[in-house]
């Protein structure tokens, strides 16, 4: 047992938690913004996957990590835009369109990947890290937390920014109202459709970057269907966090740790079939739902289309 | 509209023409999205540098015209109809059971493992019957957790059923690779149910009698939902859960029942696919039928008979698409794109129809 708790093991555990957790966090954060505004965004899985694909493609052709992440964000936006058009402007069912966008993104990315790379899976070069002086020399957590690609720090910063927007800005208030009582927001002279559109597009952008994180940093390659439910886990994170961005961060790291524990165990020489590893995050999600399901709270107007003047 | 006012004196005639127009409208609203999706998907093919006419021609030939293709299409319909039946029950009761793939796959794995073991001890008909029952039960069991969470905790079932599907797909692999593995083969898969012990074929064709099971199930579900008190109760729960509580209905119990029926039908589909078509389950096999049947059921507006037509259409596309994948180099993922576009087209049609009717008022 003592061999398990070497420094290398612990470092790989924390590192794994972060690498697996950041995409979940970005998805959860994005979903939280949508949900706050009253949109249940089932299409987030498709947004992540398209972001993963486009981010990989851009990084592969330009060789730039930053352009890759931008591409990922744009990829997410490309799936979020139809969602905004169909669900918020035209008022189609958020669930039906969400399923459609996820299925479409799955099929389209697999198809495009097939036509571009056939059966080959080219690998991206490793992403450069940015060591924060001082902090990165702390044993165990130093190299795992403070010697990471810069996008990691930005992602954590996004949590703080979201929390600030939710709490301290007019727009945060408008988001909340769009989910709680859209009619009141409308009466106050704010365009509900516009607020919700901005929310969904932001979700797409964040989820797309999360997807690009998976393909560029997590795996270094693009494989069809590679997000494998990360977006759906993001939805659960958003539900359980009850509107608080920092809880999304904590939850995501917890799920990330759960994912990486098994990988770290494999590093330590304990062999576990990959299928069991793949079950863990979902088992964890369900456990959380069983234990705290009743406490999950969602805005009253979630999933409903707002029509001005309708009762 | 003006036409109706002209002949407005003859009320009966007007009503009859109104009814006919309503029927035309329904057919147009069902077929419009289909044509739209075929055209849009054709554009996707064109963008990928594939000749859409040649592709669709090949799909129709291999899925519909070629006798072997047609038989494969009809066989494919069996499990799909069962899944559609399960979805109709759930959706009409307002429950989003999106976990059909997990329910289907786990049932398939358990039935595939159990079938060959029972063969030496029981007559074939009994093996098949037990297989079907076990399949239905496994499906229902896999929906128990989402059902309990929804009925008694109010946890959103979309999320929980999706999670159970991800969990179930991996779990099915664990079962195939670690527990039910056929020691005689090098690739991990379950033991194989020999052709003689599978569901009987219909007449002189290769069409599996799973098709009959599927047809019976979907018609039974249609009648259950439209003609019985139980179906009415479920529909009330679906239309307005609050009103259902005020009407004295035991909503949690009805929710549990809905999940059980819906998931049992998905499980039955798994059993039919294994005992009628596959014979065994290979590791990492997951046809993911359920999520692709969802749009078909929507297109049919939860109507059982209309669902049969759409499931047939999809089966042609799916069987033809599989042949076309080998021939034209367009992978089968293309069907996912078609289904996605179909769903969006359906939404747009609905939207246009609402606007047209609002304008007509």
């Amino acid at each position: 047992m003592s061999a398990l708790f070497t420094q290398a093991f612990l470092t790989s555990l924390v590192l794994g938690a972060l690498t697996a957790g950041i995409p979940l966090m970005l998805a959860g954060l994005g979903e939280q913004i949508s949900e706050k505004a009253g949109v249940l965004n089932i299409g987030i899985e498709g947004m992540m996957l398209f972001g993963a694909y486009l981010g990989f493609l851009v990084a592969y052709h330009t060789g730039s990590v930053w352009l890759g992440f931008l591409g990922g964000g744009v990829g997410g936006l490309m799936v979020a835009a139809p969602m905004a058009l169909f669900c918020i402007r035209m008022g189609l069912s958020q669930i039906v369109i969400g399923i459609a966008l996820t299925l479409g993104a799955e099929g389209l990315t697999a198809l495009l990947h097939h036509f571009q790379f056939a059966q080959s899976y080219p690998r991206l070069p490793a992403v450069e890290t940015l060591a924060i002086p001082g902090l990165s020399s702390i044993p165990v957590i130093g190299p795992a937390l403070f010697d990471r690609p810069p996008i990691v720090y930005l992602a954590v910063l996004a949590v703080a920014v979201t929390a600030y927007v939710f709490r301290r800005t007019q727009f945060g208030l408008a988001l909340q109202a769009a989910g709680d009582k859209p009619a009141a927001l409308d009466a106050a002279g704010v365009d509900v459709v516009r607020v919700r559109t901005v929310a969904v597009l932001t979700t797409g952008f964040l989820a797309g970057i999360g997807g690009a994180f998976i393909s560029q940093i997590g795996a270094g390659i693009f494989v069809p269907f590679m997000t494998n439910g990360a977006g759906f886990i993001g939805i659960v994170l958003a539900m359980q966090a009850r509107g608080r961005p920092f809880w999304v961060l904590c939850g995501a790291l917890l799920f990330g740790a759960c994912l990486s524990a098994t990988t770290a165990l494999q590093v330590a020489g304990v062999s576990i079939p990959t299928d069991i590893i793949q079950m863990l995050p979902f088992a964890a999600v369900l456990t959380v739902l069983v234990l705290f399901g009743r406490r999950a709270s969602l805005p009253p107007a979630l999933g409903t289309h707002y029509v001005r003047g309708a009762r | 509209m003006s036409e109706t006012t002209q002949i407005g004196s003859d009320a009966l005639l007007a009503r009859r023409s109104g009814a006919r127009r309503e029927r035309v409208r329904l057919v147009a609203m069902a077929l419009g999205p289909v044509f739209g999706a075929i055209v849009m998907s054709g554009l996707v093919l064109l963008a990928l540098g594939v000749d859409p006419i040649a592709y669709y021609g090949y799909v129709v030939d291999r899925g519909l015209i070629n006798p072997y293709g047609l038989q494969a299409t009809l066989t494919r319909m069996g499990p799909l109809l069962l899944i559609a039946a399960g979805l109709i029950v759930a959706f009409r009761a307002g429950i989003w059971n999106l976990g059909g793939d997990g329910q289907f796959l786990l049932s398939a794995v358990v039935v595939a493992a159990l079938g060959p073991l029972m063969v030496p001890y029981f007559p074939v008909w009994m093996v098949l019957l037990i297989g079907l029952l076990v399949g239905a039960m496994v499906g229902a069991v896999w929906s128990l957790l989402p059902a309990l969470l929804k009925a008694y905790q109010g946890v959103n079932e979309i999320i929980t059923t999706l999670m159970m599907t991800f969990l179930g797909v991996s779990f099915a692999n664990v079962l195939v690779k670690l527990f039910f593995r056929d020691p005689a083969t090098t690739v991990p898969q379950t033991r194989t149910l020999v052709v003689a012990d599978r569901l009987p074929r219909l007449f002189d064709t290769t069409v599996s009698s799973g098709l009959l099971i599927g047809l019976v199930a979907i018609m039974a579900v249609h009648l259950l939902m439209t003609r019985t008190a139980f179906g009415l109760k479920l529909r009330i729960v679906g239309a307005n859960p609050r009103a259902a509580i005020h009407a004295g209905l035991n909503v949690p119990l009805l929710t549990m029942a809905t999940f059980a029926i819906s998931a049992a039908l998905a499980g039955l589909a798994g059993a039919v696919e294994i005992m009628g078509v596959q014979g065994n389950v290979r590791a990492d096999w997951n046809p993911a039928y359920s999520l692709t049947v969802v749009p078909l059921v929507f297109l049919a507006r939860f109507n059982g008979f209309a669902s049969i037509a759409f499931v047939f259409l999809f089966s042609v596309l799916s069987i033809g698409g599989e042949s076309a994948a080998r021939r034209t180099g367009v992978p089968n993922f293309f069907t996912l794109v078609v289904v996605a576009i179909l769903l969006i087209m359906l939404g747009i049609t609905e939207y246009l129809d609402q606007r047209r009717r609002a304008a007509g008022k």
Side-chain angles (χ1 to χ4, degrees), chain B residues 37-53:
Chain B
I38 288 174
V39 171
M40 290 283 288
S41 315
L43 292 180
V44 172
L45 283 178
L46 212 55
L48 290 170
V50 178
D51 178 4
I53 310 269

Side-chain angles (χ1 to χ4, degrees), chain A residues 42 86 90 92 95-96 100 104 107-108 110-111 114 225 228-229 232 235-236 275 278-279 282-283 285-286 289 294, chain B residues 48 96 153 155 158-160 162-164 166-167 170 173-174 177 298 329 331 333 337 340 343-344 347-348 351:
Chain A
I42 302 277
F86 294 133
M90 290 163 59
L92 305 182
I95 295 166
V96 176
L108 208 56
L111 211 57
H114 176 87
F225 308 100
N228 193 27
F232 296 126
I235 299 179
V236 176
D275 294 305
Q278 282 168 359
M279 282 171 73
F282 303 106
V285 167
L286 284 162
L289 285 174
R294 202 189 279 274
Chain B
L48 290 170
W96 296 91
Q153 302 266 3
V155 179
I158 298 176
I159 306 304
T160 49
L162 278 171
M163 293 289 128
M164 288 304 277
F166 282 106
L167 199 64
S170 298
N173 271 334
V174 171
K177 287 176 187 165
F298 269 101
F333 307 125
V337 178
L343 263 184
I344 292 173
I348 294 175
Y351 173 75

Side-chain angles (χ1 to χ4, degrees), chain B residues 12-25:
Chain B
L12 188 72
L13 197 65
R15 204 188 305 145
R16 201 177 287 162
S17 90
R20 194 186 305 132
R21 191 172 302 143
E22 179 66 16
R23 215 172 302 139
V24 169
R25 187 184 70 88

